[in-house]
Amino acid sequence: MSGQPAAEQSAAEQTPAPAARTRADVVRVWAARVVLPVSVALWLLSLRSVPLDKMRDLGLLQVLPPLFWVATALLTLGFLLALSDRRTHSAWLAGYVFALIALLHATPTLLYPTLRYSWAWKHLAVIDAVNRHGGEVPNADKFSVYNEWPGFFDLHAMFLQITGLDSAVGYASWTPPVANVLLLAPLLLVYRSVTRDRRLVWGAVWIFYSCSWVGQDYFAPQSFAFLLFLTVIALLYRQLPSSALPRPDPDRRDGWPPGLLVVVVVIVAAIVVSHPLTPLMLITAMAMLSFPRRSRRLALPVLIAAVVLTAVWDATVARSYISVNITGVIESLTEPDKNVTSGLAALGDAAPGQILLSWVDRGLSAAVAVLALAGLLTHRWTWRTGLPLLAAAPLPLLAVNAYGGEMLFRAYLFALPAAAFLVAVLLLPPSDRRGVGRTLAVYPVLLAMLGGLVFGYFGKEALNQYTLKEVAAARYVIENAPPGSTIVSLTADVPDLDLDYEKHRRVQLAYQDEDDLRQMVVDPLEGVTGFIYGATEEKPAYIVLTRAQDMNLYVTGALPADVSERLQAALAGAPGFTRVYDNGDAIVYRYVTPPPD
């Protein structure tokens, strides 16, 4: 390796001597230090008056004031100024990254009065049910999958019991910024194990956060499992003989220290019991890293542990779910093309802004793939890092299962940590000595990445945010519905309506089969009545109509946008239906089947 040209040597071998500072260097250093607090202050000022009620097709993109975008552009410029000086202390670079995380992921938390995203509310309901039942929840119906991968929920249930908190809703809102902050440690460990070039390390970190648009960082098992996945990867890279970091035990032969291997196996077990997809991602990653001889002794034990633990878990605890769904997995093996394109379909009925948003997401993902490939081809030393193998590791799973139309996006997420480094190598090559000029030349590229990210991350916030009135309506239903009641909504966008899910029957009309959907379009009242006919005083039905559901229909096109209005008009005079709650953002009807004439 030492006989290769300098441009092709690993950055781990390059330790450039700092040149004497010029007056321009001093100005640049102080500019970078001033820009950080100024951009943070501008960001906070921009959040003082954001008209959330005006969000439509493009969510927060339509209502965030110009000052927010000025802060974003200024923060990116300041980061590049700091990055252009090799003597910039890592604390300043870390400060810029923390500010980027806050700007992207704390903005909704600071703006919204309560927890965002319907799935996060579902997970709160599962934790509540686990606490009430002391473990597995009976009569869970569609929620039974959470009984079979309970790790995340049991952990939070235990935390609530220890702390005496009634619910996780208070801290769940902060999961996106906290989860992204926690990802920084394993990211840095991976990158620092590959190179000593701090500019390349922090550039890769910035690119990762600038391109992570998939949004799997909310209060969910997948965000927890992804953090554990990346931690395993980081610990493995730390032990590689080629690691740019000092070996923790220079005299030890290649392989895991016994104590650390136990820790890694425990982390693998936590992944296996928490999420069905992440263990498969870990298996493919370890299989890829088992090919190079230099990492084989480290990857093989983890691969064996992941395969054995996943097989045992799926054959025992998760057996009922696996046995029901294994047929679909086998069938999907014969249709790999559909698995790959499944997440790219069904755009015809979406709002115009959502179609634009989807194409921007695709463009950013494709750009990352192209830039990463270019970085790999133009800097051949990256082959020896194993990162190209990690970037390619999720691809085999695309041929196995569509994962509800999300496999393409999940594959992108798991490939991104490695791909971000390869992109950084292309944009900020370690052999470059041109300083600030070349570094600032990538400013438009980083701004474009952030522009693509905010489309994917902020573009659907019109239906992801809820008002306190919507929460109050759901609480009214849960507190007044007797066990065995049927609770009907148009979509899943009703916060806290899944509370006590094992006691009630839930119907979400927009997700029924094609015949039922046609009936809803032709006659909304008849479409609803077909699911609740036979309701009694002891087991009535409740129909919940809310602002967020209306927005969901408009944004996604799951049903025509006027269905909610027509249904509300029909319910007002229909026999058996009584309006029992109305606060402006939500209306609740109670239904008891009227006696025959």
Side-chain angles (χ1 to χ4, degrees), residues 229-447:
F229 166 88
L230 199 54
T231 300
V232 172
I233 300 297
L235 292 175
L236 184 149
Y237 265 77
R238 179 66 180 88
Q239 296 299 316
L240 285 174
S242 60
S243 174
L245 292 168
R247 294 289 300 276
D249 185 2
D251 298 327
R252 180 181 52 81
R253 298 183 62 186
D254 298 343
W256 291 99
L260 185 57
L261 181 59
V262 172
V263 171
V264 169
V265 172
V266 170
I267 296 175
V268 172
I271 294 172
V272 168
V273 305
S274 298
H275 194 236
L277 176 62
T278 307
L280 304 182
M281 291 290 186
L282 182 63
I283 288 170
T284 59
M286 290 300 111
M288 286 290 192
L289 290 176
S290 295
F291 285 110
R293 182 176 300 176
R294 60 184 175 276
S295 58
R296 190 172 299 159
R297 290 189 178 184
L298 294 167
L300 272 178
V302 183
L303 174 61
I304 294 170
V307 170
V308 171
L309 290 173
T310 301
V312 170
W313 188 264
D314 290 352
T316 55
V317 178
R319 181 178 178 179
S320 59
Y321 179 87
I322 297 295
S323 61
V324 170
N325 292 276
I326 191 64
T327 302
V329 173
I330 294 174
E331 289 177 352
S332 68
L333 289 172
T334 64
E335 302 176 323
D337 56 325
K338 292 185 179 180
N339 297 332
V340 172
T341 60
S342 62
L344 306 178
L347 294 176
D349 296 327
Q354 290 297 297
I355 297 176
L356 171 63
L357 181 154
S358 180
W359 282 109
V360 171
D361 291 344
R362 300 174 192 184
L364 177 59
S365 304
V368 169
V370 170
L371 292 174
L373 182 60
L376 176 64
L377 295 177
T378 57
H379 296 80
R380 302 300 297 272
W381 65 267
T382 56
W383 285 96
R384 299 192 299 274
T385 66
L387 291 177
L389 295 174
L390 282 178
L395 298 181
L397 292 178
L398 288 175
V400 175
N401 198 303
Y403 202 69
E406 295 186 12
M407 184 60 80
L408 184 61
F409 305 141
R410 300 298 178 91
Y412 171 82
L413 175 65
F414 279 86
L416 185 58
F421 184 85
L422 298 177
V423 174
V425 170
L426 179 69
L427 300 180
L428 302 163
S431 60
D432 184 55
R433 294 290 182 272
R434 284 172 282 180
V436 64
R438 173 59 186 265
T439 303
L440 291 180
V442 305
Y443 182 53
V445 180
L446 295 191
L447 282 183

Side-chain angles (χ1 to χ4, degrees), residues 523-544:
D523 186 344
L525 179 61
E526 186 67 25
V528 170
T529 307
F531 288 99
I532 60 178
Y533 188 81
T536 65
E537 288 288 347
E538 293 75 23
K539 296 182 179 181
Y542 292 84
I543 296 85
V544 185

Side-chain angles (χ1 to χ4, degrees), residues 526-569:
E526 186 67 25
V528 170
T529 307
F531 288 99
I532 60 178
Y533 188 81
T536 65
E537 288 288 347
E538 293 75 23
K539 296 182 179 181
Y542 292 84
I543 296 85
V544 185
L545 305 175
T546 63
R547 178 207 59 84
Q549 292 181 80
D550 294 346
M551 187 60 66
N552 182 297
L553 296 186
Y554 167 71
V555 168
T556 68
L559 285 171
D562 67 343
V563 165
S564 178
E565 183 179 354
R566 291 194 289 128
L567 175 60
Q568 185 177 332

Side-chain angles (χ1 to χ4, degrees), residues 486-499:
T486 299
I487 300 175
V488 179
S489 59
L490 289 170
T491 72
D493 303 283
V494 187
D496 229 17
L497 198 60
D498 290 304
L499 201 64

